[in-house]
mmCIF file of all heavy atoms in Angstrom:
data_model
loop_
_atom_site.group_PDB
_atom_site.id
_atom_site.type_symbol
_atom_site.label_atom_id
_atom_site.label_comp_id
_atom_site.label_asym_id
_atom_site.label_seq_id
_atom_site.Cartn_x
_atom_site.Cartn_y
_atom_site.Cartn_z
ATOM 1 N N MET Z 1 13.756 -54.645 44.756
ATOM 2 C CA MET Z 1 14.656 -53.646 44.207
ATOM 3 C C MET Z 1 15.947 -53.658 45.034
ATOM 4 O O MET Z 1 15.906 -53.669 46.264
ATOM 5 C CB MET Z 1 13.983 -52.268 44.258
ATOM 6 C CG MET Z 1 14.769 -51.202 43.556
ATOM 7 S SD MET Z 1 14.040 -49.524 43.595
ATOM 8 C CE MET Z 1 12.472 -49.757 42.850
ATOM 9 N N ARG Z 2 17.061 -53.649 44.361
ATOM 10 C CA ARG Z 2 18.351 -53.648 45.044
ATOM 11 C C ARG Z 2 18.596 -52.305 45.731
ATOM 12 O O ARG Z 2 17.987 -51.289 45.392
ATOM 13 C CB ARG Z 2 19.463 -53.909 44.038
ATOM 14 C CG ARG Z 2 19.412 -55.301 43.445
ATOM 15 C CD ARG Z 2 20.505 -55.566 42.457
ATOM 16 N NE ARG Z 2 21.561 -54.566 42.498
ATOM 17 C CZ ARG Z 2 22.441 -54.388 41.546
ATOM 18 N NH1 ARG Z 2 22.416 -55.115 40.479
ATOM 19 N NH2 ARG Z 2 23.378 -53.461 41.651
ATOM 20 N N THR Z 3 19.511 -52.324 46.691
ATOM 21 C CA THR Z 3 19.808 -51.124 47.476
ATOM 22 C C THR Z 3 20.279 -49.983 46.575
ATOM 23 O O THR Z 3 19.819 -48.838 46.713
ATOM 24 C CB THR Z 3 20.873 -51.437 48.540
ATOM 25 O OG1 THR Z 3 20.387 -52.495 49.368
ATOM 26 C CG2 THR Z 3 21.171 -50.221 49.381
ATOM 27 N N ALA Z 4 21.176 -50.265 45.653
ATOM 28 C CA ALA Z 4 21.691 -49.219 44.766
ATOM 29 C C ALA Z 4 20.563 -48.584 43.947
ATOM 30 O O ALA Z 4 20.553 -47.367 43.730
ATOM 31 C CB ALA Z 4 22.770 -49.783 43.847
ATOM 32 N N GLU Z 5 19.621 -49.402 43.525
ATOM 33 C CA GLU Z 5 18.480 -48.882 42.765
ATOM 34 C C GLU Z 5 17.595 -48.000 43.645
ATOM 35 O O GLU Z 5 17.078 -46.973 43.204
ATOM 36 C CB GLU Z 5 17.679 -50.037 42.176
ATOM 37 C CG GLU Z 5 18.440 -50.799 41.113
ATOM 38 C CD GLU Z 5 17.783 -52.119 40.756
ATOM 39 O OE1 GLU Z 5 16.988 -52.648 41.567
ATOM 40 O OE2 GLU Z 5 18.086 -52.639 39.672
ATOM 41 N N GLN Z 6 17.417 -48.388 44.903
ATOM 42 C CA GLN Z 6 16.624 -47.581 45.830
ATOM 43 C C GLN Z 6 17.301 -46.234 46.077
ATOM 44 O O GLN Z 6 16.634 -45.189 46.101
ATOM 45 C CB GLN Z 6 16.432 -48.325 47.148
ATOM 46 C CG GLN Z 6 15.540 -49.532 47.038
ATOM 47 C CD GLN Z 6 15.456 -50.299 48.345
ATOM 48 O OE1 GLN Z 6 16.099 -49.969 49.327
ATOM 49 N NE2 GLN Z 6 14.653 -51.352 48.352
ATOM 50 N N VAL Z 7 18.608 -46.273 46.259
ATOM 51 C CA VAL Z 7 19.359 -45.027 46.462
ATOM 52 C C VAL Z 7 19.206 -44.138 45.230
ATOM 53 O O VAL Z 7 18.934 -42.934 45.339
ATOM 54 C CB VAL Z 7 20.847 -45.314 46.768
ATOM 55 C CG1 VAL Z 7 21.668 -44.033 46.746
ATOM 56 C CG2 VAL Z 7 20.990 -46.031 48.096
ATOM 57 N N TYR Z 8 19.361 -44.723 44.060
ATOM 58 C CA TYR Z 8 19.239 -43.961 42.815
ATOM 59 C C TYR Z 8 17.880 -43.284 42.704
ATOM 60 O O TYR Z 8 17.790 -42.097 42.375
ATOM 61 C CB TYR Z 8 19.485 -44.882 41.614
ATOM 62 C CG TYR Z 8 19.214 -44.226 40.290
ATOM 63 C CD1 TYR Z 8 20.057 -43.225 39.802
ATOM 64 C CD2 TYR Z 8 18.104 -44.585 39.531
ATOM 65 C CE1 TYR Z 8 19.804 -42.612 38.587
ATOM 66 C CE2 TYR Z 8 17.845 -43.980 38.313
ATOM 67 C CZ TYR Z 8 18.694 -42.993 37.848
ATOM 68 O OH TYR Z 8 18.432 -42.375 36.654
ATOM 69 N N GLU Z 9 16.825 -44.038 42.988
ATOM 70 C CA GLU Z 9 15.473 -43.478 42.881
ATOM 71 C C GLU Z 9 15.282 -42.301 43.843
ATOM 72 O O GLU Z 9 14.672 -41.295 43.490
ATOM 73 C CB GLU Z 9 14.418 -44.563 43.142
ATOM 74 C CG GLU Z 9 14.338 -45.600 42.043
ATOM 75 C CD GLU Z 9 13.976 -45.007 40.683
ATOM 76 O OE1 GLU Z 9 13.131 -44.091 40.623
ATOM 77 O OE2 GLU Z 9 14.539 -45.477 39.680
ATOM 78 N N ARG Z 10 15.795 -42.426 45.044
ATOM 79 C CA ARG Z 10 15.614 -41.350 46.027
ATOM 80 C C ARG Z 10 16.469 -40.135 45.683
ATOM 81 O O ARG Z 10 16.042 -38.998 45.845
ATOM 82 C CB ARG Z 10 15.936 -41.858 47.417
ATOM 83 C CG ARG Z 10 14.924 -42.917 47.862
ATOM 84 C CD ARG Z 10 15.150 -43.346 49.243
ATOM 85 N NE ARG Z 10 14.189 -42.639 50.080
ATOM 86 C CZ ARG Z 10 14.084 -42.827 51.378
ATOM 87 N NH1 ARG Z 10 14.890 -43.658 51.989
ATOM 88 N NH2 ARG Z 10 13.187 -42.170 52.072
ATOM 89 N N VAL Z 11 17.691 -40.374 45.199
ATOM 90 C CA VAL Z 11 18.586 -39.262 44.866
ATOM 91 C C VAL Z 11 18.066 -38.510 43.641
ATOM 92 O O VAL Z 11 18.199 -37.287 43.548
ATOM 93 C CB VAL Z 11 20.037 -39.759 44.663
ATOM 94 C CG1 VAL Z 11 20.929 -38.659 44.115
ATOM 95 C CG2 VAL Z 11 20.598 -40.285 45.967
ATOM 96 N N LYS Z 12 17.462 -39.221 42.708
ATOM 97 C CA LYS Z 12 16.906 -38.578 41.514
ATOM 98 C C LYS Z 12 15.918 -37.477 41.881
ATOM 99 O O LYS Z 12 15.812 -36.475 41.173
ATOM 100 C CB LYS Z 12 16.175 -39.602 40.642
ATOM 101 C CG LYS Z 12 16.995 -40.238 39.613
ATOM 102 C CD LYS Z 12 16.214 -41.020 38.561
ATOM 103 C CE LYS Z 12 14.866 -41.536 38.928
ATOM 104 N NZ LYS Z 12 14.249 -42.387 37.891
#
Side-chain angles (χ1 to χ4, degrees):
M1 187 181 302
R2 294 180 13 197
T3 302
E5 293 167 339
Q6 291 176 357
V7 170
Y8 173 70
E9 290 300 321
R10 294 185 100 177
V11 171
K12 269 193 336 186

